Amino acid sequence: MAGAAGAAGAAGAGAGPGAAAAAPGLAKPPRRDRRARTLVARVLVLGALGLVTLLFVYPFVWLVSASFKPRGDVFDNRLIPATATLQNYVTVWQEAPVALWLLNTVIVTVLSAGTVTLSSALVAWGFSYFQFRGRGLLFGLVLATMMLPGAVTMIPTYLIWDSLGLVNTQVPLWAGGLFGSAFYVFLLRQFFLGMPREIFEAARVDGAGNWSIFWRMALPLCKPAVVLTLLFEVQAAWTNLMGPLIYLRDEELFTIPLGLKILLDRFVGSGNFQWEVVVTASVITTLPMVLLFFLGQRYFVDGVAASPGGGK
Amino acid sequence: MTAVATPAAAGATASVRRPGRGRLGGAGKGRGPKVPLRPSQRRNRRRTVLSALAFLSPWIIGFLVFTAWPIGYSLYLSLTDYDIINAPTFVGLENYVRLAGDPNVQLALGNTVVFTLLQVPLYVTLSFALALLLDKAGRSMGFFRTAFFLPRMTPPVAVGVLVLLLLNGQDGLLNTALGWFGIDGPNWTTDSAWIKPGLVLMSLWTVGGSVLILLAALRGVPRELLDAAKMDGAGFFRRTWHVTMPMVSGPLFFLVVVNTIDGLQTFTEAYTAYFGSTGGYGNDAALFYAIYLFQQAFQFFNMGYASALAWLLFLVVLAITGVQLLVSRRVVYYEADR
């Protein structure tokens, strides 16, 4: 697969027509005017891509830059602040328990990513390794739950947590992960199905039980998929606003997206415009995700292309 | 590329496997004529089912508690008046009657449908255009893929803040940029007519995920087909329209469906930018259906009415997705149909 992608990439890079039909390395050199034309096309393509990249990246840079600007300068649209200050970060820190919110978010994120990845992997393994009557039907049911709008189950789910006395705790934000999630089950099952079955049979002959085959062989072997699931869920949990909005009441339990929303209401919605505080809080909310992306970009970018729904 | 298997590759492996043989002998369809099982085989089969159930148990419990029961209970609640404090009282179809006459439902539904109708075609077209461009990037593709996906990492609540900042009528970046070309930009964030286009514009910023999916699909288009079309004198646009588009119509259609379902449930960006968390209304043009439902359920605690609203949303999603599926039968080309 990697070889095919590489060859297609080389062909797309401007080798003349016919080059792709033969092996790329053996292609005859294209005629000169062709070469000139492909060069122009290449410059145009890269120029356009560069422009789009600028559009995609600029808002980040703008946001980070604005967080260092004193009040009133936020909208001056300079990339390098006329006067740079750390005051906004100090203000945010004093105005709101940001450190606590960040800690809360980390706790919720780690718990939901850990639980949902493990449980989804268990279920995916159950669907890919064992063969039993009704397996297809049951898996169809898993897929069907992906189509159901969240609004339908939202209220009864709230009532379940309410009856357990767990509203206004962080438990509802991650405990659903204990039961797996259809999207990740689907994703992980694809990987498990791609593994050669013989190695598991060999392990069984050597006396390995169901659990140790799963835990010590299958799971390590599908590390890319496990990492991808973790990354997707970390992102989903970190950025979730609706869940905290529904379940959390006390400010000291808030996660950082809800905290940002509260700061927005307090510093902009109320009419006393202090955009620099909100901008800085946005940077604090976003930066961990950007960091995560740069750490896991290989998994993210390849995984999104291979996964249904693009990590939604 | 890492060892990430594409669904197609994994599926192919799955179909090659022999069904229901060996120690784990199960109820594969490919079995020969029925032979009575030996007692040891029967024991094995039972053990397989029990082991499978053990692995599946998280999902089975979750499905029963957090999907099946909520569906039933939500249906029941939609026929009641329930404020959480007092027990639900049965009111029959009253909620549905109220819903039919609620001007806010019409407003929110209208807003949501208009937003989705604007957003989905633009989003998918832009994804496709960028994927085509990226497909030609050659060795620098890796860099651009990364850059394109970056905005997807921005929390939606921060995107809501960015809406207010970048689209600000007076000193927002967008209108400043439009000003360089002598265009007097509208008040994107305050003018009711421009709020939805503004939100659509902002949503296009996170198009990167779809671009990656389509890019993967483009790599699967057989080069012989494109080369043959080129030999016949078809230019880039004709090749794209007549060869590439039909070959990737499956993923394109998939993106249309997924984006439609997502669009109809839009919440966070619009809520962040236009609604106070302490209740009360923001701008009517940004009152999306999911926001109205959320307010009814968790700000006014009209749980019964909100459940009826949820079921209407479900029906709308179902109807629109159904129509799309019907249309797709005529438009989408599947390799397997040949």
Side-chain angles (χ1 to χ4, degrees):
Chain A
M1 182 190 157
L26 301 174
K28 270 191 286 182
R31 293 212 315 269
R32 182 162 298 166
D33 60 329
R34 280 262 165 74
R35 194 181 295 171
R37 216 193 303 162
T38 45
L39 187 72
V40 170
R42 211 171 142 63
V43 168
L44 281 178
V45 165
L46 289 184
L49 282 170
L51 199 69
V52 177
T53 300
L54 205 64
L55 287 176
F56 277 155
V57 177
Y58 199 87
F60 282 112
V61 182
W62 184 89
L63 197 68
V64 173
S65 152
S67 72
F68 292 109
K69 292 173 184 170
R71 180 174 309 173
D73 282 7
V74 172
F75 284 106
D76 71 0
N77 290 331
R78 282 172 209 255
L79 264 203
I80 296 167
T83 39
T85 168
L86 283 172
Q87 183 53 43
N88 297 333
Y89 286 89
V90 177
T91 311
V92 171
W93 224 260
Q94 286 166 344
E95 286 289 340
V98 178
L100 189 60
W101 289 349
L102 280 172
L103 181 71
N104 289 338
T105 320
V106 169
I107 293 172
V108 168
T109 301
V110 167
L111 282 172
S112 48
T115 53
V116 88
T117 305
L118 182 62
S119 60
S120 300
L122 277 169
V123 176
W125 181 246
F127 273 120
S128 66
Y129 184 66
F130 301 100
Q131 284 154 358
F132 51 91
R133 200 167 295 161
R135 182 173 78 158
L137 197 75
L138 214 54
F139 190 66
L141 208 56
V142 175
L143 296 187
T145 60
M146 279 205 277
M147 299 290 285
L148 191 74
V152 173
T153 52
M154 184 171 81
I155 292 165
T157 305
Y158 174 85
L159 296 175
I160 292 174
W161 295 120
D162 190 36
S163 68
L164 295 172
L166 291 172
V167 165
N168 201 23
T169 71
Q170 287 159 355
V171 176
L173 300 180
W174 58 266
L178 289 168
F179 308 103
S181 137
F183 175 71
Y184 302 129
V185 169
F186 183 67
L187 189 78
L188 288 160
R189 177 179 164 272
Q190 297 294 345
F191 282 82
F192 285 138
L193 285 178
M195 291 177 178
R197 208 174 167 78
E198 291 74 30
I199 55 171
F200 302 124
E201 298 305 335
R204 182 171 295 279
V205 170
D206 289 346
N210 278 329
W211 173 256
S212 68
I213 289 179
F214 166 74
W215 183 250
R216 289 169 48 192
M217 294 187 70
L219 214 51
L221 278 174
C222 92
K223 193 180 132 206
V226 171
V227 173
L228 184 62
T229 307
L230 280 170
L231 287 176
F232 276 172
E233 184 59 23
V234 165
Q235 189 204 9
W238 189 280
T239 61
N240 183 8
L241 174 70
M242 202 196 240
L245 209 51
I246 290 174
Y247 288 106
L248 303 180
R249 309 263 187 277
D250 298 341
E251 208 167 73
E252 36 317 341
L253 294 173
F254 283 4
T255 58
I256 191 79
L258 183 53
L260 173 59
K261 171 65 182 149
I262 297 300
L263 287 177
L264 181 70
D265 288 344
R266 195 187 298 163
F267 287 103
V268 175
S270 60
N272 69 328
F273 294 101
Q274 299 184 38
W275 279 107
E276 70 285 354
V277 177
V278 177
V279 164
T280 309
S282 299
V283 173
I284 295 172
T285 310
T286 307
L287 227 45
M289 284 302 94
V290 175
L291 226 60
L292 178 81
F293 177 63
F294 282 114
L295 288 176
Q297 52 162 305
R298 193 167 60 100
Y299 293 97
F300 260 120
V301 172
D302 287 342
V304 168
S307 76
K312 289 197 174 191
Chain B
M1 289 230 181
T2 53
V4 173
T6 62
T13 322
S15 63
V16 165
R17 251 181 20 210
R18 277 166 302 148
R21 297 295 242 128
R23 243 202 85 130
L24 290 165
K29 277 189 188 128
R31 290 172 67 83
K34 270 211 162 142
V35 181
L37 293 174
R38 274 177 283 130
S40 67
Q41 279 179 317
R42 208 172 299 148
R43 236 189 345 265
N44 277 341
R45 184 185 280 194
R46 202 165 46 229
R47 211 180 301 155
T48 302
V49 172
L50 286 178
S51 314
L53 282 178
F55 278 92
L56 297 183
S57 57
W59 179 76
I60 293 173
I61 296 168
F63 176 77
L64 294 176
V65 178
F66 290 102
T67 306
W69 184 80
I71 288 177
Y73 197 64
S74 165
L75 207 52
Y76 162 71
L77 277 184
S78 75
L79 304 174
T80 68
D81 199 3
Y82 185 40
D83 60 0
I84 285 210
I85 300 156
N86 303 298
T89 47
F90 191 80
V91 294
L93 292 175
E94 207 173 89
N95 285 324
Y96 291 93
V97 173
R98 177 178 161 198
L99 180 156
D102 184 343
N104 277 329
V105 169
Q106 286 155 26
L107 176 72
L109 208 53
N111 281 341
T112 310
V113 169
V114 167
F115 171 83
T116 309
L117 285 178
L118 276 176
Q119 198 255 359
V120 174
L122 280 173
Y123 198 88
V124 176
T125 311
L126 185 68
S127 311
F128 188 56
L130 291 180
L132 281 174
L133 206 57
L134 209 51
D135 192 40
K136 297 256 175 279
R139 256 179 302 171
S140 39
M141 182 191 284
F143 167 77
F144 289 119
R145 285 201 316 170
T146 307
F148 280 19
F149 191 72
L150 191 59
R152 277 299 295 268
M153 299 307 288
T154 313
V157 61
V159 175
V161 172
L162 279 173
V163 167
L164 293 177
L165 289 165
L166 300 181
L167 303 187
N168 187 295
Q170 282 81 48
D171 12 55
L173 203 58
L174 179 62
N175 278 3
T176 307
L178 287 175
W180 299 334
F181 301 98
I183 301 169
D184 199 10
N187 283 320
W188 299 92
T189 54
T190 49
D191 183 343
S192 294
W194 288 100
I195 281 179
K196 279 187 282 287
L199 285 168
V200 168
L201 215 57
M202 223 36 232
S203 83
L204 294 182
W205 189 50
T206 58
V207 82
S210 308
V211 176
L212 293 190
I213 293 177
L214 285 177
L215 186 64
L218 286 180
R219 324 239 73 187
V221 176
R223 286 212 68 85
E224 311 87 68
L225 282 183
L226 289 169
D227 287 336
K230 208 172 192 175
M231 293 287 197
D232 292 344
F236 174 75
F237 289 101
R238 291 191 62 175
R239 284 200 304 271
T240 303
W241 184 255
H242 290 293
V243 181
T244 313
M245 283 268 277
M247 290 306 288
V248 300
S249 55
L252 273 175
F253 172 69
F254 170 80
L255 286 179
V256 169
V257 172
V258 169
N259 268 298
T260 306
I261 295 175
D262 275 4
L264 293 173
Q265 301 186 69
T266 301
F267 177 80
T268 305
E269 291 88 343
Y271 183 80
T272 304
Y274 296 107
F275 292 89
S277 48
T278 42
Y281 281 113
N283 196 307
D284 276 355
L287 183 70
F288 289 135
Y289 197 83
I291 295 176
Y292 187 57
L293 200 164
F294 169 82
Q295 290 179 330
Q296 286 297 332
F298 297 104
Q299 282 175 0
F300 311 135
F301 290 101
N302 293 325
M303 293 284 183
Y305 188 50
S307 299
L309 286 172
W311 281 97
L312 178 65
L313 177 67
F314 179 59
L315 290 181
V316 171
V317 169
L318 211 62
I320 293 182
T321 317
V323 169
Q324 286 175 339
L325 279 169
L326 281 178
V327 173
S328 84
R329 285 212 192 138
R330 299 169 146 268
V331 182
V332 178
Y333 168 86
Y334 290 107
E335 191 86 6
D337 290 346
R338 271 200 302 199

